[in-house]
Amino acid sequence: EAGVTQFPSHSVIEKGQTVTLRCDPISGHDNLYWYRRVMGKEIKFLLHFVKESKQDESGMPNNRFLAERTGGTYSTLKVQPAELEDSGVYFCASSHQWRATSYNEQFFGPGTRLTVL
Amino acid sequence: LAKTTQPISMDSYEGQEVNITCSHNNIATNDYITWYQQFPSQGPRFIIQGYKTKVTNEVASLFIPADRKSSTLSLPRVSLSDTAVYYCLVGDAVNYGGSQGNLIFGKGTKLSVKP
């Protein structure tokens, strides 16, 4: 079974440009999460989809970030316009639909390294 | 979610047993303790989870004392490939991966295994 995949693996853009990151979760996983780690900081939660609906977007830093998950399959995270402080590694994770009696392990992708110059 | 404290880094030699301790003084009754492992250029990967006493799987063991204010991840006979960052997370397991399942990572412990 394929794991969580992310594209691209690395993106270098200039300040003010737009970048779109893509995440393909494990097939059948309803939960999809975005996290990011900026230089020298901890991995921070951005948002959580359940199927195509945004369950929790409390971690989104500002309105320059837009996440979508049309059809409840893959997800995109767009940064527009990108700023220098957006540089970091963006991780996507997925898990099974919530089960109240068991631990729903999150499976992470390899991340997309974003560099804003 | 409870705050966790771990060593910033640890060094070990191949074949040794490595124990990484995590402090979580404010752990709540419903909280579980979960450890993730992250290799360079990869995303974090679930290792083990426990609530109390001892849990063992094919990768590691997790020791949790009765007061649950700390926990110890034990890696038996480490190899070079165990060099990674290890994260201790504490939270309500039911909500971890479910509808409120945003994981909160600390700085982790960077383990370096040398030949």
Side-chain angles (χ1 to χ4, degrees):
Chain A
E1 179 183 314
V4 176
T5 58
Q6 295 185 243
F7 181 83
S9 58
H10 190 189
S11 179
V12 181
I13 61 173
E14 292 185 328
K15 176 183 174 181
Q17 290 185 322
T18 298
V19 63
T20 299
L21 313 181
R22 172 172 171 143
C23 168
D24 285 80
I26 292 174
S27 177
H29 281 190
D30 288 333
N31 293 297
L32 187 150
Y33 308 83
W34 284 98
Y35 296 82
R36 77 170 178 177
R37 176 166 58 204
V38 296
M39 184 67 73
K41 302 290 187 181
E42 295 88 352
I43 298 172
K44 295 288 189 183
F45 166 79
L46 295 179
L47 89 160
H48 170 205
F49 284 98
V50 177
K51 297 185 180 179
E52 67 276 8
S53 300
K54 292 178 184 176
Q55 180 72 26
D56 180 358
E57 51 184 330
S58 61
M60 294 288 265
N62 51 60
N63 59 10
R64 295 186 293 103
F65 289 76
L66 174 65
E68 295 179 321
R69 194 185 182 194
T70 305
T73 54
Y74 71 91
S75 174
T76 58
L77 179 64
K78 179 189 289 187
V79 185
Q80 179 183 30
E83 298 290 343
L84 298 179
E85 63 265 24
D86 300 331
S87 295
V89 181
Y90 290 76
F91 294 103
C92 175
S94 71
S95 70
H96 280 293
Q97 184 176 4
W98 181 45
R99 296 190 294 265
T101 57
S102 64
Y103 175 67
N104 295 277
E105 173 187 347
Q106 291 188 27
F107 295 85
F108 282 77
T112 293
R113 180 174 297 278
L114 175 63
T115 302
V116 183
L117 303 177
Chain B
L1 295 175
K3 178 180 172 60
T4 61
T5 303
Q6 307 172 230
I8 294 174
S9 66
M10 297 180 71
D11 289 346
S12 177
Y13 289 103
E14 278 191 295
Q16 290 184 327
E17 177 184 78
V18 171
N19 296 306
I20 305 175
T21 297
C22 176
S23 297
H24 27 79
N25 291 317
N26 297 321
I27 190 169
T29 302
N30 293 332
D31 286 345
Y32 279 66
I33 300 148
T34 308
W35 286 78
Y36 273 74
Q37 173 192 54
Q38 184 179 24
F39 297 114
S41 300
Q42 294 187 27
R45 181 176 73 115
F46 171 84
I47 302 177
I48 197 167
Q49 183 193 59
Y51 183 81
K52 62 181 180 180
T53 62
K54 177 183 175 183
V55 179
T56 297
N57 61 23
E58 66 277 6
V59 176
S61 293
L62 179 59
F63 298 91
I64 306 168
D67 66 5
R68 304 201 327 120
K69 293 183 182 301
S70 67
S71 59
T72 299
L73 175 72
S74 181
L75 305 173
R77 296 180 297 281
V78 295
S79 64
L80 297 177
S81 62
D82 292 316
T83 294
V85 178
Y86 293 82
Y87 296 97
C88 167
L89 297 90
V90 172
D92 183 346
V94 170
N95 290 321
Y96 253 155
S99 59
Q100 301 179 42
N102 46 314
L103 300 177
I104 298 180
F105 289 85
K107 295 185 183 298
T109 298
K110 184 176 182 180
L111 173 66
S112 297
V113 181
K114 303 175 181 180

